[in-house]
Amino acid sequence: MKIAILDQKVRKNLALFKHLVKQQQRKKERFYQVAKKIYHAYVNRHTGELQFAELEKKELPESDWKSIVIQLRPTEDSQTFEVLSEENEGCFEWKEFDPEAYALLSKTIHILNQLAYDPKMGKNPLWVLRHVAHLEFELTDEENGKRSLIHGAWHSVNRYEAEHLLKGRPIGTYLFRKDEVAELLEETLNELFSFPITCITLTYSDWDEKVCEKTLVYKNGSWLIYDDDPTLRGPTCPTVKELLQTLGDQIQSPLLR
């Protein structure tokens, strides 16, 4: 399922939870038969940003972070995500949180519950977790709702079809897609890092009608060109547009849909 989340902070919370569920899936055989329904987390008292105990290895200061429990529990006709106090797994008090933090976490849980609701399948917690694990985010400009560069030049095609689209185009014409290399790299990197990684393919026309490709990696709010270094220590840029500018004349014009 694909959803568009315009609020970057909400999207980050959801992406991190999806990352946790998928990591559990990779680590355990028959994951959905033994999957956890309780998730120990930390919420920032000022921003509402989430971190999960299973992913975050460093100690977080109690002055800024509060320990909570996110639980998936059954109701009469579905499964519901709810936030509990870690101390007694009872009602959660919001008095010590800024209004912004309360609003952000409320939005995050609300969207999770929208994903969990289904008249036929919603009663099955395994279906809910599978739904979360396979969630996809639309590649949109989250800050102002306008169509982003990636979204505009995204083509769901294979290599052969990409070459056909770029045939006869000026040098430097490019498009975005996701090939098997990007898919495998994304899966590998997500096993190594505690935060979600996204990989996409940049396909562009070069000299002598040659079509070339590079894999772009998105991590923690920045982009880089993958250079066979799994530590991802290469130079980064805050936006794809700025990253493409580092390639100079190789990249000129997007092939828009």
Side-chain angles (χ1 to χ4, degrees), residues 1-5 11 18 22 115 130-139 154 156 178 183 186:
M1 178 182 181
K2 282 191 175 183
I3 60 172
I5 305 294
R11 175 172 174 161
K18 170 191 170 181
K22 292 197 75 170
L115 294 171
R130 190 178 295 114
H131 203 44
V132 171
H134 292 88
L135 180 65
E136 293 184 36
F137 298 103
E138 291 280 2
L139 295 170
W154 186 268
S156 299
K178 192 161 196 155
E183 289 179 352
E186 181 176 299

Side-chain angles (χ1 to χ4, degrees), residues 46-84:
H46 310 295
T47 66
E49 176 187 356
L50 283 175
Q51 294 289 348
F52 289 92
E54 193 168 326
L55 298 175
E56 185 58 56
K57 304 305 180 184
K58 63 182 180 181
E59 189 172 340
L60 298 173
E62 292 186 8
S63 58
D64 295 324
W65 297 87
K66 171 74 174 177
S67 298
I68 63 170
V69 171
I70 296 177
Q71 175 179 272
L72 177 62
R73 69 172 181 85
T75 59
E76 288 186 6
D77 57 354
S78 65
Q79 298 285 320
T80 299
F81 287 98
E82 60 183 7
V83 179
L84 305 174

Side-chain angles (χ1 to χ4, degrees), residues 69-242:
V69 171
I70 296 177
Q71 175 179 272
L72 177 62
R73 69 172 181 85
T75 59
E76 288 186 6
D77 57 354
S78 65
Q79 298 285 320
T80 299
F81 287 98
E82 60 183 7
V83 179
L84 305 174
S85 170
E86 187 172 60
E87 288 81 7
N88 54 23
E89 294 193 2
C91 294
F92 188 71
E93 293 289 338
W94 288 99
K95 296 178 182 178
E96 53 191 301
F97 286 79
D98 292 350
E100 179 184 351
Y102 172 78
L104 182 65
L105 188 56
S106 295
K107 287 180 185 177
T108 302
I109 299 300
H110 176 69
I111 292 174
L112 282 175
N113 282 325
Q114 285 183 315
L115 294 171
Y117 178 76
D118 185 276
K120 294 182 179 179
M121 302 299 296
K123 292 183 180 181
N124 184 349
L126 308 181
W127 177 88
V128 174
L129 293 174
R130 190 178 295 114
H131 203 44
V132 171
H134 292 88
L135 180 65
E136 293 184 36
F137 298 103
E138 291 280 2
L139 295 170
T140 60
D141 187 321
E142 299 150 2
E143 293 183 341
N144 57 25
K146 295 180 180 178
R147 192 167 78 161
S148 71
L149 176 61
I150 295 177
H151 188 272
W154 186 268
H155 295 263
S156 299
V157 295
N158 58 30
R159 168 73 187 217
Y160 175 79
E161 292 168 330
E163 290 181 352
H164 179 73
L165 288 173
L166 293 171
K167 186 176 181 179
R169 302 280 181 176
I171 294 171
T173 303
Y174 64 91
L175 58 85
F176 298 105
R177 64 191 190 95
K178 192 161 196 155
D179 65 4
E180 292 182 359
V181 173
E183 289 179 352
L184 291 173
L185 179 62
E186 181 176 299
E187 183 175 339
T188 300
L189 293 175
N190 274 305
E191 291 178 355
L192 299 175
F193 287 87
S194 62
F195 48 83
I197 302 288
T198 300
C199 298
I200 64 174
T201 307
L202 169 67
T203 307
Y204 59 96
S205 58
D206 207 346
W207 295 97
D208 299 325
E209 297 187 355
K210 182 180 178 181
V211 172
C212 299
E213 293 187 321
K214 296 183 184 296
T215 301
L216 310 186
V217 179
Y218 180 77
K219 64 157 191 171
N220 269 353
S222 60
W223 289 90
L224 60 85
I225 298 171
Y226 188 67
D227 59 357
D228 295 326
D229 177 12
T231 64
L232 303 182
R233 293 177 180 173
T236 63
C237 294
T239 66
V240 168
K241 183 177 181 180
E242 292 174 75

